[in-house]
Amino acid sequence: MIEYVENKEIIARRIARFFASGDVVNLGIGLPTMVGNFVPEGVTVVLQSENGMMGLGPAPEKGKEDKDLTNAGGMPVTVLDGGCFFDSAVSFGIIRGGHVDFTVLGVLEVDQEGNLANYKIPGKMVPGMGGAMDLVAGSKKVIAATTHLEKSGSSKLKRRCVLPLTAAHEVDIVVTDVGYFTVKDGKFRLEEYFAPYTPEWIVEHTGADIVVAPGCKEFR
Amino acid sequence: MIEYVENKEIIARRIARFFASGDVVNLGIGLPTMVGNFVPEGVTVVLQSENGMMGLGPAPEKGKEDKDLTNAGGMPVTVLDGGCFFDSAVSFGIIRGGHVDFTVLGVLEVDQEGNLANYKIPGKMVPGMGGAMDLVAGSKKVIAATTHLEKSGSSKLKRRCVLPLTAAHEVDIVVTDVGYFTVKDGKFRLEEYFAPYTPEWIVEHTGADIVVAPGCKEFR
Amino acid sequence: MIVKPVISAAEAAAKVKAGDVVQLGGFLGCGSPDSIIEALVAAGAKDLTLVCNDTGIHNEAKGVSNGPAPLVKAKAFKTMIVSHIGTNPETQRQMNAGESDVRLVPQGTLAERIRAAGNGLGGVLTPTGVGTEVEEGKRKLTLNGKDYLLEEALPGDVAFVKAKRADKAGNLVYAKTARNFNPIMATACAVVIAEVEELVEIGAIDPDQVHTPSIFVDYIVKA
Amino acid sequence: MIVKPVISAAEAAAKVKAGDVVQLGGFLGCGSPDSIIEALVAAGAKDLTLVCNDTGIHNEAKGVSNGPAPLVKAKAFKTMIVSHIGTNPETQRQMNAGESDVRLVPQGTLAERIRAAGNGLGGVLTPTGVGTEVEEGKRKLTLNGKDYLLEEALPGDVAFVKAKRADKAGNLVYAKTARNFNPIMATACAVVIAEVEELVEIGAIDPDQVHTPSIFVDYIVKA
C-alpha cells in the first residue's frame, strides 16, 4: 500500500534533467521556478523571462534589489554576464518564433490530447493568461509541471479538460511527483516512475487513458 | 510667349517652404534630396532616412566618410546631435505608422486622382519600388516633385497614369517648376504659380483637368 | 533637433479626457510611470479605457499598490484591456461585480496589437489562442496548413511611458526589465508623454543606443 | 552563457546548400557581410534564393561591386526577393533575359515579412501596395473601412548578417545605418551566421544595449 505524499522537489529535479547546454528555457511562476535550482552541473541553460530578459540570474541578496530588474512574477532578480534586455514585442517574438526550447508551466488541468488549462476557473478565479498562451503555442517543447493528485485525491491528468484551455494540443511532456509522461496518440505514456510509486499504482491513480512505455524505468 | 526652361531649384525651394519646425520629413533620392538645402532659417525639420536613421545631417567632408553611415541612396552622410539609428522594421514602422509628416518623391507620372507612378517602366526600366510604396502609403502628406514637362514637351501631370502605380490616391501636393498644385476632387488645383509662368500658360500646358484656386497667387 | 516641453505630472494627467484609451507602460509595477499615475488619481480620472500588461500588484495587507493599481482602486477605468489581473484582487472584484469590463488578451498578442497600431499595420496573424476562448469573434485564417487568428491593431489616445533617461529632444533609453511595453506604446498613441528619471542634453545619448526615437515623444515629465 | 563557434568565412559559406533561401543583411552595401559574400563567390554557390533589400551597387566603369552584387554577377541566385535593383544593371539584365526570377517587394513589407517569420506570425496586414501590382495573387481584407493586403511570413534557411561587435556568446551590436535588415534577418532563419568586426568577452556589452540577443546567433565569423 503506497501512500501519496505531495513532493514538488522531485518534479523540479526531473524537469531540470531534460535540458542540454545552450537550451533556452522559460520557467513559469511557482513550481516551475524551482526547476532553476536543479539544473545539473556542467549544463548551461539560458533562462528567458517574458517580461523582457535573457540570462536570468538568481535572486539578489537582501538590500541589493534593483527596482528596474524583476522577473515575470514581479520579483527582484539579477542578470548574468552575457544576458540582455528587450521590449515585450521582442520578448514574445522570441517566444512565438520558436526560439525558446522549453517552457515549463503550472497546471490546473492537463489532458491526454495535450490540452492545457491553467489560467481561469470561471466564476471563481480569473488571473488571466499573461504570457502563458504564447509560451505554450510558441515553444519547441512544452512541459506541464504538476502534483499528480488534487487534495481531494482526484487526478490532475484528465481525459478531457473541462476548464477553459490555455492552448490546444501543445503539451509534449507532463511531469508529476509520481512520474514523467509524454502525450502521444491521445494517451498519456508513462516513461519513468518515481519510487515509491510503481507503474501499477500510477496507472490506477491516473484519470485518463494511459499506457506504460515499453522501456519505462525508475528515475534516479 | 513664355519659353519653358527646366528649373529644379525652384521646385526644391518651394517644397522646403511647406515645413514647420518639428516636422519629420523623408526626402527621396535625386531632386527631392535638394529640398534639404532650402529649408528656411529658423525652421528645424528632422530628416528621416528609410535605411534606418533620424537626424540626417549634411554630406561629410571628403575623407571623413564613414562606411557605416549612408543615406537611402547609399551615399555617405552624417548624423546630427539628437539623431538616432534603428533597423528596417522600425524604420518602416515609423513610415507606415504615420509618424512621417512629409514625404517628397520623384515622379514618372502623377495624375489628377492622386495616383503616382515612379518605380517601373515595363520592359524598359525596373529599378523597383524600394521604400517608395510604404512612404507614399504611410506619410501624412505626400509631395510629388517633378519638372512640369517631359523633354518631348508633354505634361508630367496626367489625367490617368498608364505606368504601374506606386500608390493609388495618395498624392496630396505636386510641385513642378511652373507652380504648386493640390490634388482635389479628381482635379489638379493650381495654388501658386512661379514667374515667368502664368496661370493661363500653366492650364494650357497641363495634360489633365485643372482649376485655378480662387486665391492663387505668385510664389516669391 | 526640437526641444520637447517638460511638463509636470499634473499637467500630464490633464492631457487625458474622459473616455480616452490610455496605454500605460510597466509590468507588475516595474517600469510604470508612477508620478503620472499618482497625478491621474489626484485629478480624479474617470471612464478611461486602460491598455496595460496588468493592473499592478495590490496587496492591502502588505501595503503594496503599484502599477495601475491605485487607478483601479480609484475606479478610473470603465474598461481594462490587459493580460493578467491575478495580482490585483480589486480588479477581480470589479470584474465579478460588473463594475468594470475586463478584457483579457494574451501578453504577446497585446504586444503585437499595440505594435501594429504604431506601425501602420491593420493587424497580425498569430497562432496564439487558436483552440481557446480567445478565438471567439475573431477571423481565423489558414496559411500553409497552420491556423492563425487575425488580431487587430490596438491604438490609444494617450501613452504614459517610463524611461530611465531622455535627452531634451525626447530620445528615450530604458533600464533593464523596466523597458517591457513602454517602447511599443510610445509608437501607438496620438499623444505620448514620457516620465523620465534623468534629462540630459541633446547629443549626450549615443545614437546607436536610443530605444525610442524622439519623434514619438510629445512631452517629458521629470519624475 | 554558451560560447558560440567562431568559424572562417569559407566555413560559413559551406553551411549553404544548393536551393537554400539565403537572407543577406545590408543596404546598398552598407552593413553587408562582405567576407562571407566573397567566400560564397569563391565556393561557387548556385541555385540560391536571395532575400535582401537590394542586389547591391554594380558599376563596372567605376569598379564598384558591393552588397550581393558579386554573387549576382556569379549567377548564384535563381530567385531574388528584393525591394530595389536600380543600382545593379546586371540584375536587370538577368531578369530581362529570363536567367533569374526577380520578385520586387516593397521595402517595408519585406521587413515585416522577415520579422513575421522570426516572430512566429503567419503574416501581417499592410496598406502598402493596395491599388498597385503588388496586390496580385494576395488576399485583401477590409478592417474598419480600410483595405489591407495580407503579406505572409518570409523565413529563410541561412541568414548572413553583419555586426560591428559581438561578445563570445553571440550578442550583437550594430553600427549606425549598417544595422538595417540585419537584426530582423537574424530572427528569421534556421541558421544564423554573424560576420563581426570586433569580438569581445562575455559581459563586455551592456545588456541594455544589445541589438540582437545571443540566442539568435549560431556562428561568428571574424571579418
Side-chain angles (χ1 to χ4, degrees):
Chain A
M1 172 72 186
I2 300 162
E3 197 194 346
Y4 175 72
V5 183
E6 244 188 47
N7 176 359
K8 291 186 177 167
E9 185 176 313
I10 183 74
I11 303 172
R13 276 211 290 133
R14 180 61 191 91
I15 290 173
R17 296 274 283 271
F18 287 112
F19 309 149
S21 273
D23 281 347
V24 178
V25 176
N26 183 294
L27 301 175
I29 304 305
L31 165 51
T33 303
M34 284 174 62
V35 173
N37 302 329
F38 297 99
V39 177
E41 220 168 310
V43 174
T44 307
V45 301
V46 182
L47 296 181
Q48 199 258 10
S49 190
E50 68 267 29
N51 58 322
M53 73 179 293
M54 196 70 79
L56 193 77
E61 288 172 52
K62 221 175 143 65
K64 300 259 186 187
E65 297 88 356
D66 179 340
K67 71 171 175 39
D68 293 328
L69 182 45
T70 62
N71 66 13
M75 301 306 292
V77 290
T78 53
V79 61
L80 302 177
D81 275 355
C84 63
F85 301 104
F86 32 77
D87 69 38
S88 296
V90 172
S91 188
F92 282 89
I94 289 169
I95 290 166
R96 205 190 303 99
H99 308 289
V100 170
D101 295 294
F102 289 96
T103 192
V104 184
L105 296 97
V107 162
L108 287 169
E109 293 176 340
V110 59
D111 75 23
Q112 64 197 33
E113 304 286 345
N115 297 316
L116 174 71
N118 76 348
Y119 85 102
K120 187 175 179 181
I121 304 177
K124 197 171 154 199
M125 185 196 76
V126 186
M129 67 290 280
M133 283 194 178
D134 296 281
L135 279 159
V136 177
S139 300
K140 280 185 204 148
K141 289 271 184 195
V142 175
I143 303 178
T146 177
T147 53
H148 199 77
L149 300 181
E150 305 262 16
K151 308 279 176 213
S152 65
S154 73
S155 162
K156 292 282 271 286
L157 282 57
K158 310 281 183 188
R159 277 205 170 71
R160 187 107 187 109
C161 291
V162 295
L163 294 173
L165 297 185
T166 303
H169 310 299
E170 296 281 2
V171 175
D172 301 289
I173 291 168
V174 180
V175 179
T176 77
D177 43 7
V178 306
Y180 136 48
F181 308 81
T182 52
V183 178
K184 213 166 172 174
D185 304 327
K187 289 189 184 65
F188 290 109
R189 198 173 117 125
L190 180 67
E191 306 285 349
E192 288 177 10
Y193 56 93
F194 307 153
Y197 309 101
T198 61
E200 295 68 32
W201 187 96
I202 292 169
V203 168
E204 195 183 319
H205 291 82
T206 299
D209 294 333
I210 176 168
V211 295
V212 177
C216 179
K217 60 181 194 303
E218 188 184 340
F219 168 67
R220 286 162 195 281
Chain B
M1 174 68 189
I2 300 162
E3 198 195 346
Y4 175 72
V5 183
E6 244 188 47
N7 176 358
K8 290 184 177 168
E9 183 177 313
I10 183 75
I11 302 172
R13 275 211 292 134
R14 180 61 192 89
I15 291 172
R17 296 275 282 273
F18 286 112
F19 309 148
S21 274
D23 282 346
V24 177
V25 176
N26 183 294
L27 301 175
I29 304 305
L31 166 51
T33 303
M34 284 175 62
V35 172
N37 302 329
F38 296 100
V39 177
E41 220 167 312
V43 174
T44 308
V45 301
V46 182
L47 296 182
Q48 199 257 13
S49 190
E50 68 267 29
N51 57 322
M53 73 178 294
M54 195 71 78
L56 193 77
E61 288 171 53
K62 217 174 147 64
K64 301 261 186 185
E65 297 87 354
D66 179 340
K67 73 173 174 35
D68 293 327
L69 181 45
T70 62
N71 65 13
M75 301 304 294
V77 291
T78 53
V79 61
L80 301 177
D81 275 356
C84 63
F85 300 104
F86 31 77
D87 69 37
S88 297
V90 172
S91 188
F92 282 89
I94 289 170
I95 289 166
R96 205 189 304 97
H99 307 289
V100 169
D101 295 294
F102 289 97
T103 192
V104 184
L105 296 98
V107 163
L108 287 170
E109 294 176 339
V110 59
D111 76 22
Q112 64 197 32
E113 303 287 343
N115 297 316
L116 174 71
N118 76 348
Y119 84 101
K120 188 175 179 182
I121 304 177
K124 195 170 154 202
M125 183 195 78
V126 187
M129 67 290 279
M133 282 195 178
D134 296 279
L135 280 159
V136 176
S139 300
K140 281 187 204 146
K141 290 272 183 192
V142 175
I143 302 179
T146 176
T147 52
H148 199 79
L149 301 180
E150 307 260 18
K151 308 278 177 216
S152 66
S154 73
S155 163
K156 292 282 269 287
L157 283 57
K158 309 280 184 190
R159 275 202 172 73
R160 190 103 185 114
C161 292
V162 294
L163 294 173
L165 297 186
T166 304
H169 309 300
E170 295 283 1
V171 175
D172 301 289
I173 291 169
V174 180
V175 179
T176 76
D177 44 9
V178 307
Y180 136 49
F181 309 80
T182 52
V183 178
K184 215 167 170 173
D185 306 325
K187 290 189 182 65
F188 289 108
R189 198 173 116 126
L190 180 67
E191 304 285 349
E192 288 178 9
Y193 57 92
F194 307 154
Y197 308 101
T198 61
E200 295 69 35
W201 187 95
I202 293 168
V203 168
E204 195 183 322
H205 291 82
T206 300
D209 294 331
I210 175 168
V211 295
V212 177
C216 177
K217 59 184 195 300
E218 189 184 338
F219 168 68
R220 285 162 196 280
Chain C
M1 288 290 146
I2 293 295
V3 170
K4 295 290 160 62
V6 177
I7 62 176
S8 69
E11 288 168 324
K15 303 283 177 195
V16 169
K17 302 177 304 299
D20 272 358
V21 175
V22 172
Q23 301 197 349
L24 267 186
F27 192 111
L28 294 177
C30 180
S32 293
D34 293 325
S35 308
I36 295 172
I37 289 169
E38 201 179 310
L40 282 164
V41 172
K46 286 283 174 237
D47 292 325
L48 304 178
T49 292
L50 172 71
V51 176
C52 189
N53 177 64
D54 53 74
T55 59
I57 300 175
H58 186 77
N59 186 325
E60 298 204 353
K62 291 190 180 167
V64 175
S65 185
N66 73 18
L71 280 163
V72 173
K73 186 72 185 165
K75 301 199 65 178
F77 305 119
K78 202 171 50 183
T79 304
M80 302 183 227
I81 302 173
V82 293
S83 81
H84 195 265
I85 61 172
T87 53
N88 191 336
E90 171 63 13
T91 309
Q92 302 220 20
R93 192 199 61 71
Q94 290 183 18
M95 178 178 66
N96 292 338
E99 295 173 13
S100 58
D101 176 14
V102 176
R103 303 183 195 164
L104 293 169
V105 178
Q107 204 167 117
T109 298
L110 188 64
E112 283 299 318
R113 290 181 61 195
I114 294 166
R115 179 185 180 275
N119 285 249
L121 302 171
V124 298
L125 300 183
T126 178
T128 302
V130 168
T132 77
E133 288 183 356
V134 167
E135 270 194 27
E136 283 167 24
K138 287 178 191 146
R139 281 190 249 199
K140 190 149 87 173
L141 285 89
T142 305
L143 267 68
N144 306 315
K146 184 162 179 175
D147 290 337
Y148 296 94
L149 301 184
L150 169 52
E151 292 281 3
E152 296 188 21
L154 180 60
D157 296 299
V158 182
F160 294 119
V161 303
K162 168 69 193 300
K164 181 73 177 174
R165 188 162 36 254
D167 68 18
K168 290 181 174 174
N171 288 301
L172 304 182
V173 176
Y174 305 93
K176 305 190 180 82
T177 59
R179 194 181 318 184
N180 57 66
F181 279 83
N182 286 299
I184 47 176
M185 289 175 169
T187 70
C189 294
V191 175
V192 176
I193 304 178
E195 178 174 328
V196 305
E197 294 178 28
E198 298 166 28
L199 187 58
V200 300
E201 294 302 319
I202 292 173
I205 299 178
D206 178 348
D208 272 330
Q209 306 297 11
V210 168
H211 293 142
T212 290
S214 63
I215 58 150
F216 289 114
V217 177
D218 298 302
Y219 301 96
I220 296 169
V221 172
K222 186 83 171 45
Chain D
M1 288 289 145
I2 294 294
V3 170
K4 296 291 161 60
V6 177
I7 62 176
S8 69
E11 287 168 324
K15 302 284 177 194
V16 169
K17 303 178 304 298
D20 273 358
V21 175
V22 173
Q23 300 197 348
L24 266 186
F27 192 113
L28 294 177
C30 181
S32 293
D34 293 326
S35 308
I36 295 172
I37 289 170
E38 201 180 310
L40 282 165
V41 172
K46 286 282 174 240
D47 291 325
L48 304 178
T49 291
L50 171 71
V51 176
C52 188
N53 177 65
D54 53 73
T55 58
I57 300 175
H58 186 77
N59 187 324
E60 299 204 354
K62 290 187 180 169
V64 176
S65 185
N66 73 18
L71 281 163
V72 174
K73 186 73 185 168
K75 301 200 68 183
F77 305 118
K78 200 171 52 182
T79 305
M80 303 182 225
I81 302 173
V82 294
S83 81
H84 195 266
I85 61 171
T87 52
N88 191 335
E90 171 63 13
T91 310
Q92 301 220 21
R93 190 198 64 71
Q94 290 182 17
M95 178 178 68
N96 292 337
E99 296 173 13
S100 59
D101 175 14
V102 176
R103 302 181 197 167
L104 293 169
V105 177
Q107 203 167 117
T109 298
L110 188 64
E112 283 299 318
R113 291 181 61 194
I114 295 166
R115 180 185 180 275
N119 285 250
L121 302 171
V124 299
L125 300 182
T126 178
T128 302
V130 168
T132 76
E133 288 182 355
V134 167
E135 273 194 25
E136 283 166 23
K138 287 180 191 145
R139 281 191 251 199
K140 191 149 86 175
L141 285 87
T142 305
L143 267 68
N144 307 313
K146 185 164 179 174
D147 290 336
Y148 296 94
L149 302 184
L150 168 51
E151 292 280 5
E152 296 188 22
L154 180 61
D157 296 299
V158 183
F160 293 118
V161 302
K162 167 69 193 298
K164 181 73 179 175
R165 186 162 40 253
D167 68 17
K168 289 180 175 175
N171 288 301
L172 304 182
V173 176
Y174 305 93
K176 307 191 182 81
T177 58
R179 193 181 318 184
N180 56 69
F181 279 82
N182 285 299
I184 46 176
M185 289 175 169
T187 70
C189 295
V191 174
V192 176
I193 305 178
E195 177 173 328
V196 306
E197 294 178 27
E198 299 167 27
L199 186 57
V200 300
E201 294 302 319
I202 291 173
I205 298 178
D206 177 348
D208 273 331
Q209 305 298 10
V210 169
H211 293 142
T212 290
S214 63
I215 58 151
F216 290 114
V217 177
D218 299 302
Y219 300 97
I220 297 170
V221 172
K222 186 84 170 50

